[in-house]
Coordinates of all heavy atoms in Angstrom, one line a residue:
M429 N -0.4 42.5 -12.8 CA -0.1 43.8 -13.3 C -1.5 44.4 -13.9 O -2.1 43.7 -14.7 CB 0.9 43.7 -14.4 CG 1.1 45.0 -15.3 SD 2.2 46.3 -14.6 CE 3.6 45.3 -14.1
I430 N -1.8 45.5 -13.4 CA -3.0 46.2 -13.9 C -2.6 47.0 -15.1 O -1.7 47.8 -15.1 CB -3.6 47.1 -12.8 CG1 -4.0 46.3 -11.6 CG2 -4.8 47.9 -13.4 CD1 -4.4 47.1 -10.4
V431 N -3.4 46.9 -16.2 CA -3.1 47.6 -17.4 C -4.4 48.2 -17.8 O -5.5 47.5 -18.0 CB -2.6 46.7 -18.6 CG1 -2.5 47.5 -19.9 CG2 -1.3 46.0 -18.2
T432 N -4.5 49.6 -17.9 CA -5.7 50.3 -18.1 C -5.6 51.5 -19.1 O -4.5 52.1 -19.1 CB -6.4 50.7 -16.8 OG1 -7.6 51.4 -17.1 CG2 -5.5 51.6 -16.0
T433 N -6.6 51.8 -19.8 CA -6.6 52.9 -20.7 C -6.9 54.2 -19.9 O -6.7 55.3 -20.4 CB -7.6 52.8 -21.8 OG1 -8.9 52.6 -21.3 CG2 -7.2 51.6 -22.7
T434 N -7.4 54.1 -18.7 CA -7.7 55.3 -17.9 C -6.4 55.8 -17.2 O -5.4 55.2 -17.2 CB -8.7 54.9 -16.8 OG1 -8.1 53.9 -15.9 CG2 -10.0 54.4 -17.3
D435 N -6.5 57.0 -16.7 CA -5.3 57.7 -16.1 C -5.2 57.4 -14.6 O -4.3 57.9 -14.0 CB -5.4 59.2 -16.3 CG -5.4 59.6 -17.7 OD1 -4.7 58.9 -18.5 OD2 -6.0 60.7 -18.1
F436 N -6.0 56.5 -14.1 CA -6.0 56.1 -12.7 C -6.5 54.7 -12.5 O -7.1 54.1 -13.5 CB -6.8 57.1 -11.9 CG -8.3 57.1 -12.3 CD1 -9.2 56.3 -11.7 CD2 -8.7 58.0 -13.3 CE1 -10.5 56.3 -12.2 CE2 -10.0 58.0 -13.7 CZ -10.9 57.2 -13.1
V437 N -6.3 54.1 -11.4 CA -6.9 52.9 -11.0 C -7.9 53.1 -9.9 O -7.5 53.6 -8.8 CB -5.8 51.9 -10.6 CG1 -6.4 50.6 -10.1 CG2 -4.8 51.6 -11.7
E438 N -9.1 52.8 -10.2 CA -10.2 53.0 -9.2 C -9.8 52.6 -7.8 O -9.5 51.4 -7.6 CB -11.5 52.3 -9.7 CG -12.7 52.7 -8.9 CD -13.2 54.1 -9.2 OE1 -13.1 54.5 -10.3 OE2 -13.7 54.7 -8.2
G439 N -10.0 53.4 -6.8 CA -9.7 53.0 -5.5 C -8.2 52.9 -5.0 O -8.0 52.6 -3.9
R440 N -7.3 53.2 -5.9 CA -5.9 53.2 -5.6 C -5.2 54.5 -6.0 O -5.6 55.2 -6.9 CB -5.2 52.1 -6.5 CG -5.8 50.7 -6.4 CD -5.5 49.9 -5.1 NE -4.1 49.7 -4.9 CZ -3.4 48.6 -5.3 NH1 -4.0 47.7 -6.0 NH2 -2.1 48.5 -5.1
K441 N -4.3 54.9 -5.2 CA -3.6 56.1 -5.4 C -2.2 55.8 -6.0 O -1.5 55.0 -5.6 CB -3.3 56.8 -4.0 CG -2.6 58.2 -4.2 CD -2.5 58.8 -2.8 CE -1.7 60.1 -3.1 NZ -1.6 60.9 -1.9
V442 N -1.9 56.6 -7.1 CA -0.6 56.5 -7.7 C 0.4 57.2 -6.7 O 0.3 58.4 -6.4 CB -0.6 57.2 -9.1 CG1 0.8 57.3 -9.6 CG2 -1.5 56.5 -10.0
T443 N 1.4 56.4 -6.3 CA 2.5 57.0 -5.4 C 3.7 57.4 -6.2 O 4.5 58.2 -5.7 CB 2.8 56.0 -4.3 OG1 3.3 54.8 -4.9 CG2 1.6 55.7 -3.5
H444 N 4.0 56.7 -7.3 CA 5.2 57.0 -8.1 C 4.9 56.8 -9.6 O 4.4 55.8 -9.9 CB 6.4 56.1 -7.7 CG 6.9 56.3 -6.3 ND1 6.4 55.6 -5.2 CD2 7.9 57.1 -5.9 CE1 7.0 56.0 -4.1 NE2 8.0 56.9 -4.5
Y445 N 5.4 57.8 -10.3 CA 5.3 57.6 -11.8 C 6.7 57.2 -12.2 O 7.7 57.9 -11.9 CB 5.0 59.0 -12.4 CG 3.5 59.4 -12.2 CD1 3.1 60.2 -11.1 CD2 2.6 59.0 -13.1 CE1 1.8 60.5 -10.9 CE2 1.2 59.3 -12.9 CZ 0.9 60.1 -11.8 OH -0.5 60.4 -11.6
L446 N 6.8 56.1 -12.9 CA 8.1 55.5 -13.2 C 8.5 55.7 -14.7 O 9.7 55.5 -15.0 CB 8.0 54.0 -13.0 CG 7.6 53.6 -11.5 CD1 7.4 52.1 -11.4 CD2 8.7 54.1 -10.5
G447 N 7.7 56.3 -15.5 CA 8.0 56.6 -16.8 C 7.2 55.9 -17.9 O 6.4 55.0 -17.6
V448 N 7.4 56.3 -19.1 CA 6.7 55.8 -20.2 C 7.2 54.4 -20.6 O 8.4 54.2 -20.6 CB 6.8 56.7 -21.5 CG1 6.1 56.1 -22.7 CG2 6.1 58.0 -21.2
V449 N 6.3 53.4 -20.8 CA 6.8 52.1 -21.3 C 6.0 51.8 -22.6 O 5.0 52.4 -22.9 CB 6.4 51.0 -20.2 CG1 7.3 51.2 -19.0 CG2 5.0 51.0 -19.8
A450 N 6.6 50.9 -23.4 CA 6.0 50.6 -24.7 C 6.3 49.1 -25.0 O 7.2 48.5 -24.5 CB 6.6 51.5 -25.7
G451 N 5.5 48.6 -25.9 CA 5.6 47.3 -26.5 C 5.2 47.4 -28.0 O 4.3 48.1 -28.3
E452 N 5.9 46.7 -28.8 CA 5.6 46.6 -30.2 C 5.6 45.2 -30.7 O 6.3 44.4 -30.2 CB 6.7 47.4 -31.0 CG 6.7 48.9 -30.7 CD 7.7 49.2 -29.5 OE1 8.5 48.3 -29.2 OE2 7.6 50.3 -29.0
A453 N 4.7 45.0 -31.7 CA 4.7 43.7 -32.4 C 4.6 44.0 -33.9 O 3.7 44.7 -34.3 CB 3.5 42.9 -31.9
V454 N 5.5 43.5 -34.6 CA 5.5 43.6 -36.1 C 5.3 42.2 -36.6 O 6.1 41.3 -36.4 CB 6.8 44.2 -36.6 CG1 6.8 44.3 -38.1 CG2 7.0 45.6 -36.0
I455 N 4.3 42.0 -37.4 CA 3.9 40.7 -37.9 C 3.8 40.7 -39.4 O 3.2 41.6 -40.0 CB 2.6 40.2 -37.2 CG1 2.8 40.2 -35.7 CG2 2.1 39.0 -37.8 CD1 1.6 39.7 -35.0
G456 N 4.4 39.7 -40.0 CA 4.3 39.6 -41.5 C 3.0 39.2 -41.9 O 2.3 38.3 -41.3
A457 N 2.5 39.8 -43.0 CA 1.2 39.5 -43.5 C 1.4 38.5 -44.7 O 2.1 38.7 -45.6 CB 0.5 40.7 -44.0
N458 N 0.7 37.4 -44.6 CA 0.8 36.3 -45.6 C 0.1 36.8 -46.9 O -1.0 37.3 -46.9 CB 0.1 35.1 -45.1 CG 0.2 33.9 -46.0 OD1 -0.4 34.0 -47.1 ND2 0.8 32.9 -45.6
V459 N 0.8 36.6 -48.0 CA 0.3 37.1 -49.3 C -1.1 36.4 -49.7 O -2.0 37.1 -50.1 CB 1.3 36.8 -50.5 CG1 0.7 37.1 -51.8 CG2 2.6 37.6 -50.3
F460 N -1.2 35.1 -49.4 CA -2.5 34.5 -49.7 C -3.6 35.0 -48.8 O -4.7 35.1 -49.2 CB -2.3 33.0 -49.6 CG -1.4 32.4 -50.7 CD1 -0.1 31.9 -50.3 CD2 -1.7 32.4 -52.0 CE1 0.7 31.4 -51.3 CE2 -0.8 32.0 -53.0 CZ 0.4 31.5 -52.6
R461 N -3.3 35.2 -47.5 CA -4.2 35.7 -46.6 C -4.6 37.1 -47.0 O -5.8 37.4 -46.9 CB -3.7 35.7 -45.2 CG -4.7 36.1 -44.1 CD -4.2 35.9 -42.7 NE -2.9 36.6 -42.5 CZ -1.9 36.2 -41.8 NH1 -2.0 35.0 -41.2 NH2 -0.8 36.9 -41.7
D462 N -3.7 37.9 -47.5 CA -4.0 39.3 -47.9 C -5.0 39.2 -49.1 O -5.9 40.0 -49.2 CB -2.7 40.0 -48.4 CG -1.8 40.4 -47.3 OD1 -2.3 40.3 -46.1 OD2 -0.7 40.8 -47.5
L463 N -4.7 38.3 -50.1 CA -5.6 38.2 -51.2 C -7.0 37.7 -50.8 O -8.0 38.3 -51.3 CB -5.0 37.1 -52.2 CG -5.8 36.8 -53.5 CD1 -6.0 38.1 -54.3 CD2 -5.2 35.7 -54.2
F464 N -7.1 36.8 -49.9 CA -8.4 36.3 -49.4 C -9.1 37.4 -48.7 O -10.3 37.6 -48.9 CB -8.2 35.1 -48.5 CG -9.5 34.6 -48.0 CD1 -10.4 33.9 -48.8 CD2 -9.8 34.7 -46.6 CE1 -11.6 33.4 -48.3 CE2 -10.9 34.2 -46.1 CZ -11.8 33.5 -47.0
A465 N -8.4 38.2 -47.8 CA -9.0 39.3 -47.1 C -9.5 40.3 -48.1 O -10.6 40.9 -47.9 CB -8.0 39.9 -46.2
G466 N -8.8 40.6 -49.2 CA -9.2 41.5 -50.2 C -10.5 41.1 -50.9 O -11.4 41.9 -51.1
I467 N -10.6 39.8 -51.2 CA -11.8 39.3 -51.8 C -13.0 39.4 -50.8 O -14.1 39.8 -51.2 CB -11.6 37.8 -52.2 CG1 -10.6 37.8 -53.4 CG2 -12.9 37.1 -52.6 CD1 -10.1 36.4 -53.7
R468 N -12.8 39.1 -49.6 CA -13.8 39.2 -48.6 C -14.3 40.6 -48.4 O -15.5 40.9 -48.2 CB -13.4 38.6 -47.3 CG -13.3 37.1 -47.3 CD -13.2 36.5 -45.9 NE -14.3 36.9 -45.1 CZ -15.3 36.1 -44.7 NH1 -15.4 34.9 -45.2 NH2 -16.2 36.6 -43.9
D469 N -13.3 41.6 -48.5 CA -13.7 43.0 -48.4 C -14.6 43.4 -49.6 O -15.5 44.2 -49.4 CB -12.5 43.9 -48.4 CG -11.7 43.8 -47.0 OD1 -12.3 43.3 -46.1 OD2 -10.6 44.2 -47.0
V470 N -14.3 42.9 -50.8 CA -15.1 43.2 -51.9 C -16.5 42.6 -51.8 O -17.5 43.2 -52.1 CB -14.4 42.7 -53.2 CG1 -15.4 42.9 -54.4 CG2 -13.2 43.5 -53.5
I471 N -16.6 41.4 -51.4 CA -17.9 40.6 -51.3 C -18.6 41.1 -50.0 O -19.8 41.2 -50.0 CB -17.6 39.1 -51.2 CG1 -17.0 38.6 -52.5 CG2 -18.9 38.4 -50.9 CD1 -16.5 37.2 -52.4
G472 N -17.9 41.5 -49.0 CA -18.5 41.9 -47.8 C -18.2 40.8 -46.7 O -17.8 39.7 -47.1
G473 N -18.3 41.1 -45.5 CA -18.0 40.2 -44.4 C -16.7 40.6 -43.7 O -16.1 41.6 -44.0
R474 N -16.3 39.7 -42.9 CA -15.1 40.0 -42.1 C -14.0 39.0 -42.4 O -14.3 37.9 -42.8 CB -15.5 39.8 -40.6 CG -16.5 40.8 -40.1 CD -17.1 40.5 -38.8 NE -16.1 40.4 -37.8 CZ -16.3 40.4 -36.5 NH1 -17.6 40.4 -36.1 NH2 -15.4 40.3 -35.6
S475 N -12.8 39.4 -42.2 CA -11.6 38.6 -42.5 C -11.1 38.0 -41.1 O -10.5 38.7 -40.3 CB -10.5 39.3 -43.1 OG -9.3 38.5 -43.2
G476 N -11.6 36.8 -40.8 CA -11.2 36.1 -39.6 C -9.7 36.0 -39.4 O -9.1 36.1 -38.3
A477 N -8.9 35.7 -40.5 CA -7.5 35.6 -40.4 C -6.8 36.9 -40.0 O -5.9 36.9 -39.1 CB -7.0 35.1 -41.8
Y478 N -7.3 38.0 -40.6 CA -6.7 39.3 -40.2 C -7.1 39.6 -38.7 O -6.3 40.1 -38.0 CB -7.2 40.4 -41.1 CG -6.2 40.8 -42.1 CD1 -6.7 41.3 -43.3 CD2 -4.9 40.8 -41.9 CE1 -5.8 41.7 -44.3 CE2 -4.0 41.2 -42.9 CZ -4.5 41.6 -44.1 OH -3.6 42.1 -45.1
E479 N -8.3 39.4 -38.4 CA -8.8 39.7 -37.0 C -7.9 38.9 -35.9 O -7.5 39.4 -34.9 CB -10.2 39.4 -36.8 CG -11.1 40.4 -37.6 CD -12.6 40.0 -37.5 OE1 -12.9 38.9 -37.0 OE2 -13.4 40.8 -38.1
K480 N -7.7 37.6 -36.2 CA -6.9 36.8 -35.4 C -5.5 37.3 -35.2 O -4.9 37.4 -34.2 CB -6.9 35.3 -35.8 CG -6.2 34.4 -34.9 CD -6.3 32.9 -35.4 CE -5.6 32.0 -34.5 NZ -4.4 31.4 -35.0
T481 N -4.9 37.6 -36.4 CA -3.5 38.1 -36.4 C -3.4 39.4 -35.6 O -2.5 39.6 -34.8 CB -3.0 38.4 -37.8 OG1 -3.1 37.1 -38.5 CG2 -1.6 38.9 -37.9
L482 N -4.4 40.3 -35.8 CA -4.3 41.6 -35.0 C -4.5 41.4 -33.6 O -3.9 42.0 -32.7 CB -5.4 42.6 -35.6 CG -5.1 43.2 -36.9 CD1 -6.3 44.0 -37.4 CD2 -3.9 44.1 -36.8
R483 N -5.4 40.5 -33.2 CA -5.6 40.1 -31.7 C -4.2 39.6 -31.1 O -3.8 40.0 -30.1 CB -6.7 39.1 -31.5 CG -8.1 39.7 -31.4 CD -9.0 38.6 -30.8 NE -9.1 37.4 -31.7 CZ -9.8 37.3 -32.8 NH1 -10.6 38.3 -33.2 NH2 -9.8 36.2 -33.4
E484 N -3.6 38.7 -31.9 CA -2.3 38.2 -31.4 C -1.3 39.3 -31.3 O -0.5 39.3 -30.3 CB -1.9 37.0 -32.3 CG -2.7 35.8 -32.3 CD -2.4 34.8 -33.4 OE1 -1.5 35.1 -34.2 OE2 -3.0 33.7 -33.4
A485 N -1.2 40.2 -32.3 CA -0.2 41.2 -32.3 C -0.5 42.2 -31.1 O 0.4 42.6 -30.4 CB -0.2 41.9 -33.6
R486 N -1.7 42.5 -30.9 CA -2.1 43.4 -29.8 C -1.7 42.8 -28.4 O -1.1 43.4 -27.6 CB -3.6 43.7 -29.7 CG -4.0 44.6 -28.7 CD -5.5 44.8 -28.6 NE -6.1 43.5 -28.3 CZ -7.3 43.1 -28.7 NH1 -7.9 43.8 -29.6 NH2 -7.8 41.9 -28.4
Q487 N -1.9 41.5 -28.3 CA -1.5 40.8 -27.0 C 0.0 40.8 -26.8 O 0.5 41.0 -25.7 CB -2.1 39.4 -26.9 CG -1.9 38.8 -25.6 CD -2.6 39.6 -24.5 OE1 -3.8 39.9 -24.6 NE2 -1.8 40.0 -23.5
V488 N 0.7 40.6 -27.9 CA 2.2 40.6 -27.9 C 2.7 42.0 -27.4 O 3.6 42.1 -26.5 CB 2.9 40.2 -29.2 CG1 4.3 40.5 -29.2 CG2 2.6 38.7 -29.5
A489 N 2.1 43.0 -28.0 CA 2.5 44.4 -27.7 C 2.2 44.7 -26.2 O 3.0 45.3 -25.5 CB 1.8 45.4 -28.6
I490 N 1.1 44.3 -25.7 CA 0.7 44.5 -24.3 C 1.6 43.7 -23.4 O 2.1 44.2 -22.3 CB -0.8 44.2 -24.0 CG1 -1.7 45.2 -24.7 CG2 -1.1 44.1 -22.5 CD1 -3.2 44.9 -24.8
D491 N 1.9 42.5 -23.8 CA 2.8 41.6 -23.0 C 4.2 42.3 -22.8 O 4.8 42.3 -21.8 CB 3.0 40.2 -23.5 CG 1.7 39.4 -23.4 OD1 0.8 39.8 -22.6 OD2 1.7 38.3 -24.1
E492 N 4.7 42.9 -24.0 CA 6.0 43.6 -24.0 C 6.0 44.8 -23.1 O 6.9 45.1 -22.3 CB 6.4 43.9 -25.4 CG 6.7 42.8 -26.3 CD 8.0 42.0 -25.9 OE1 8.9 42.7 -25.4 OE2 8.1 40.8 -26.0
L493 N 4.9 45.5 -23.1 CA 4.6 46.7 -22.3 C 4.7 46.3 -20.8 O 5.4 47.0 -20.0 CB 3.3 47.3 -22.6 CG 2.8 48.5 -21.8 CD1 2.3 49.6 -22.7 CD2 1.6 48.0 -21.0
M494 N 4.0 45.2 -20.5 CA 4.0 44.8 -19.1 C 5.4 44.3 -18.6 O 5.8 44.6 -17.5 CB 3.0 43.6 -18.9 CG 1.6 44.1 -19.0 SD 0.2 42.9 -18.7 CE 1.0 41.3 -18.9
L495 N 6.2 43.7 -19.5 CA 7.5 43.3 -19.1 C 8.4 44.5 -18.8 O 9.1 44.5 -17.8 CB 8.2 42.4 -20.2 CG 7.7 41.0 -20.4 CD1 8.2 40.4 -21.6 CD2 8.0 40.2 -19.1
E496 N 8.3 45.5 -19.6 CA 9.1 46.7 -19.4 C 8.6 47.4 -18.1 O 9.5 47.9 -17.3 CB 8.9 47.7 -20.6 CG 9.8 48.8 -20.6 CD 9.8 49.6 -21.9 OE1 9.6 49.1 -23.0 OE2 9.9 50.9 -21.8
A497 N 7.3 47.4 -17.8 CA 6.8 48.0 -16.6 C 7.3 47.2 -15.4 O 7.7 47.8 -14.4 CB 5.3 48.1 -16.6
E498 N 7.3 45.9 -15.4 CA 7.7 45.0 -14.3 C 9.2 45.3 -14.0 O 9.6 45.3 -12.9 CB 7.5 43.6 -14.7 CG 6.0 43.2 -14.6 CD 5.8 41.7 -15.1 OE1 6.7 41.0 -15.5 OE2 4.6 41.3 -15.1
A499 N 10.0 45.5 -15.1 CA 11.4 45.7 -14.9 C 11.7 47.0 -14.1 O 12.7 47.2 -13.5 CB 12.1 45.8 -16.3
L500 N 10.7 48.0 -14.2 CA 10.8 49.2 -13.4 C 10.2 49.1 -12.1 O 10.3 50.1 -11.3 CB 10.1 50.3 -14.2 CG 10.7 50.7 -15.6 CD1 9.7 51.8 -16.2 CD2 12.1 51.3 -15.4
G501 N 9.6 48.0 -11.7 CA 9.0 47.8 -10.4 C 7.6 48.3 -10.3 O 7.1 48.7 -9.2
A502 N 6.9 48.4 -11.4 CA 5.5 49.0 -11.5 C 4.5 48.0 -11.0 O 4.7 46.8 -11.1 CB 5.2 49.4 -12.9
D503 N 3.4 48.6 -10.5 CA 2.2 47.8 -10.1 C 1.2 47.8 -11.2 O 0.3 46.9 -11.3 CB 1.6 48.3 -8.8 CG 2.5 48.3 -7.6 OD1 3.1 47.3 -7.4 OD2 2.6 49.3 -7.0
A504 N 1.3 48.9 -12.0 CA 0.3 49.1 -13.1 C 0.8 50.0 -14.2 O 1.9 50.6 -14.0 CB -0.9 49.8 -12.5
V505 N 0.1 49.9 -15.3 CA 0.4 50.8 -16.4 C -0.9 51.6 -16.7 O -1.9 50.9 -17.0 CB 0.9 50.1 -17.7 CG1 1.2 51.1 -18.8 CG2 2.1 49.2 -17.3
V506 N -0.9 52.9 -16.6 CA -2.1 53.7 -16.9 C -2.0 54.4 -18.2 O -0.9 54.6 -18.7 CB -2.4 54.6 -15.7 CG1 -2.6 53.8 -14.4 CG2 -1.2 55.6 -15.5
G507 N -3.1 54.9 -18.7 CA -3.1 55.7 -19.9 C -2.7 55.0 -21.1 O -2.1 55.6 -22.0
V508 N -3.0 53.7 -21.1 CA -2.5 52.8 -22.3 C -3.2 53.2 -23.6 O -4.4 53.4 -23.6 CB -2.7 51.4 -22.0 CG1 -2.4 50.5 -23.2 CG2 -1.8 50.9 -20.8
S509 N -2.4 53.4 -24.6 CA -2.9 53.6 -26.0 C -2.3 52.5 -26.8 O -1.2 52.1 -26.8 CB -2.3 55.0 -26.4 OG -2.7 55.2 -27.8
I510 N -3.2 52.0 -27.7 CA -2.8 51.0 -28.7 C -3.0 51.5 -30.1 O -4.1 52.0 -30.4 CB -3.6 49.7 -28.4 CG1 -3.4 49.2 -27.0 CG2 -3.2 48.6 -29.5 CD1 -4.3 48.0 -26.6
D511 N -2.0 51.5 -30.9 CA -2.0 51.9 -32.3 C -1.8 50.8 -33.2 O -0.9 50.0 -33.0 CB -0.9 53.0 -32.5 CG -1.2 54.2 -31.7 OD1 -2.4 54.7 -31.7 OD2 -0.3 54.7 -31.0
F512 N -2.5 50.8 -34.3 CA -2.3 49.8 -35.4 C -1.8 50.5 -36.6 O -2.3 51.5 -37.0 CB -3.7 49.1 -35.7 CG -4.2 48.3 -34.5 CD1 -5.0 48.9 -33.6 CD2 -4.0 47.0 -34.4 CE1 -5.5 48.2 -32.5 CE2 -4.5 46.2 -33.3 CZ -5.3 46.9 -32.4
E513 N -0.9 49.8 -37.3 CA -0.3 50.4 -38.5 C -0.2 49.3 -39.6 O 0.5 48.3 -39.4 CB 1.1 51.0 -38.3 CG 1.7 51.6 -39.5 CD 1.0 52.9 -39.9 OE1 0.6 53.7 -39.0 OE2 0.9 53.1 -41.1
G514 N -0.9 49.5 -40.7 CA -0.8 48.5 -41.8 C 0.1 49.0 -42.9 O 0.4 50.2 -42.9
G515 N 0.6 48.2 -43.7 CA 1.4 48.6 -44.8 C 2.8 48.9 -44.5 O 3.5 49.5 -45.3
V516 N 3.3 48.5 -43.3 CA 4.7 48.8 -43.0 C 5.5 47.9 -44.0 O 5.2 46.8 -44.3 CB 5.0 48.4 -41.6 CG1 6.5 48.5 -41.3 CG2 4.2 49.2 -40.6
H517 N 6.6 48.5 -44.6 CA 7.4 47.8 -45.6 C 6.7 47.3 -46.8 O 6.5 46.1 -47.0 CB 8.2 46.7 -44.9 CG 9.3 46.1 -45.8 ND1 10.3 46.8 -46.3 CD2 9.4 44.8 -46.2 CE1 11.0 46.0 -47.1 NE2 10.6 44.8 -47.0
Q518 N 6.1 48.2 -47.5 CA 5.4 47.9 -48.7 C 4.2 46.9 -48.6 O 4.0 46.1 -49.4 CB 6.4 47.4 -49.8 CG 7.5 48.4 -50.1 CD 8.5 47.9 -51.1 OE1 8.4 46.7 -51.5 NE2 9.4 48.8 -51.6
G519 N 3.5 47.1 -47.5 CA 2.3 46.3 -47.3 C 2.5 44.9 -46.9 O 1.5 44.1 -46.9
T520 N 3.7 44.5 -46.5 CA 3.9 43.1 -46.2 C 4.0 42.9 -44.7 O 4.1 41.8 -44.2 CB 5.2 42.6 -46.8 OG1 6.3 43.4 -46.3 CG2 5.2 42.6 -48.3
M521 N 3.9 43.9 -43.9 CA 4.0 43.8 -42.4 C 2.8 44.6 -41.8 O 2.3 45.6 -42.4 CB 5.3 44.4 -41.9 CG 6.5 43.8 -42.6 SD 6.7 42.1 -42.2 CE 7.6 42.2 -40.7
M522 N 2.5 44.2 -40.6 CA 1.5 44.9 -39.8 C 2.2 45.2 -38.4 O 3.0 44.4 -37.9 CB 0.3 44.2 -39.5 CG -0.6 44.0 -40.8 SD -2.1 43.1 -40.4 CE -1.6 41.5 -39.9
M523 N 2.0 46.4 -37.9 CA 2.6 46.8 -36.6 C 1.5 47.2 -35.6 O 0.6 47.9 -36.0 CB 3.6 47.9 -36.8 CG 4.3 48.2 -35.4 SD 5.5 49.5 -35.5 CE 4.5 51.0 -35.5
V524 N 1.7 46.7 -34.4 CA 0.8 47.1 -33.3 C 1.8 47.7 -32.2 O 2.7 47.0 -31.9 CB 0.0 46.0 -32.7 CG1 -0.9 46.5 -31.6 CG2 -0.9 45.4 -33.8
A525 N 1.5 48.9 -31.7 CA 2.3 49.5 -30.6 C 1.4 49.8 -29.5 O 0.3 50.4 -29.7 CB 3.0 50.7 -31.2
A526 N 1.8 49.5 -28.3 CA 1.1 49.9 -27.1 C 2.0 50.7 -26.2 O 3.2 50.4 -26.1 CB 0.7 48.6 -26.3
S527 N 1.5 51.8 -25.6 CA 2.4 52.6 -24.7 C 1.5 53.1 -23.6 O 0.3 53.2 -23.7 CB 3.0 53.8 -25.5 OG 2.0 54.6 -26.0
G528 N 2.1 53.4 -22.5 CA 1.5 53.9 -21.3 C 2.5 54.4 -20.3 O 3.7 54.4 -20.5
T529 N 2.0 54.7 -19.1 CA 2.8 55.2 -18.0 C 2.9 54.1 -16.9 O 1.9 53.8 -16.4 CB 2.3 56.5 -17.4 OG1 2.2 57.5 -18.5 CG2 3.2 57.0 -16.3
A530 N 4.1 53.7 -16.6 CA 4.3 52.7 -15.5 C 4.2 53.4 -14.2 O 4.8 54.5 -14.0 CB 5.6 52.0 -15.6
V531 N 3.4 52.9 -13.3 CA 3.2 53.6 -11.9 C 3.3 52.5 -10.8 O 3.1 51.3 -11.0 CB 1.9 54.3 -11.9 CG1 1.8 55.4 -12.9 CG2 0.7 53.4 -12.0
R532 N 3.6 53.0 -9.6 CA 3.5 52.3 -8.4 C 2.2 52.8 -7.7 O 2.0 54.0 -7.7 CB 4.7 52.4 -7.4 CG 5.8 51.6 -7.9 CD 6.8 51.4 -6.7 NE 8.0 51.0 -7.4 CZ 9.2 51.7 -7.3 NH1 9.3 52.8 -6.6 NH2 10.2 51.2 -7.9
L533 N 1.4 51.9 -7.1 CA 0.2 52.2 -6.4 C 0.3 52.1 -4.9 O 1.1 51.2 -4.4 CB -0.9 51.3 -6.9 CG -1.2 51.3 -8.4 CD1 -2.2 50.2 -8.8 CD2 -1.7 52.7 -8.9
G534 N -0.4 52.9 -4.2 CA -0.5 52.8 -2.8 C -1.6 52.0 -2.3 O -2.5 51.6 -3.0

C-alpha cells in the first residue's frame, strides 16, 4: 500500500477515488513521564519518552488508515494529513489522527 502526503503517485494514474479514510490512535500519557518531560522542557533538551510515544501513535494511526483503505480495495492513499492533539481528557491522553483519500491506480 502506497501512503503519501502528495495528491498523486509519481508515474501512476489515479483511476478511481474510493473515498476518505482515517485512522486514529489515542494513547494515555503516564503521569511520571509527563512530570519528567516537564522537567526536561524547563532544563532544555528533548523528551525521548514523548517522542517514542508519538512515533508509535503515528504508526498506529497510519496502520488503521491503511486497513480502512485496503477494505475499500485501494492501491494507495493520497493527500495524507497527520494531526497531533495533546491534552485530550484533561491532559491525560494524546491523540494522533491520519486521514487521506483511498484510490485505485492504473
Side-chain angles (χ1 to χ4, degrees):
M429 172 80 52
I430 298 169
V431 177
T432 181
T433 58
T434 62
D435 294 329
F436 59 91
V437 175
E438 187 74 35
R440 305 283 300 271
K441 181 178 178 175
V442 173
T443 59
H444 293 88
Y445 289 90
L446 304 172
V448 174
V449 291
E452 298 85 18
V454 178
I455 296 183
N458 182 296
V459 172
F460 295 110
R461 185 172 56 217
D462 290 348
L463 177 62
F464 180 69
I467 291 169
R468 288 195 51 107
D469 287 344
V470 171
I471 296 170
R474 296 168 57 170
S475 172
Y478 259 150
E479 290 174 357
K480 181 176 185 250
T481 300
L482 285 173
R483 270 194 306 275
E484 291 170 357
R486 183 184 64 218
Q487 190 59 55
V488 167
I490 291 170
D491 290 346
E492 292 291 326
L493 173 132
M494 290 186 338
L495 285 172
E496 193 172 321
E498 287 173 1
L500 295 174
D503 300 314
V505 182
V506 297
V508 173
S509 173
I510 301 173
D511 297 310
F512 297 86
E513 181 70 37
V516 177
H517 187 58
Q518 299 178 353
T520 61
M521 306 293 275
M522 291 184 294
M523 182 179 79
V524 179
S527 62
T529 303
V531 298
R532 279 199 200 117
L533 302 172

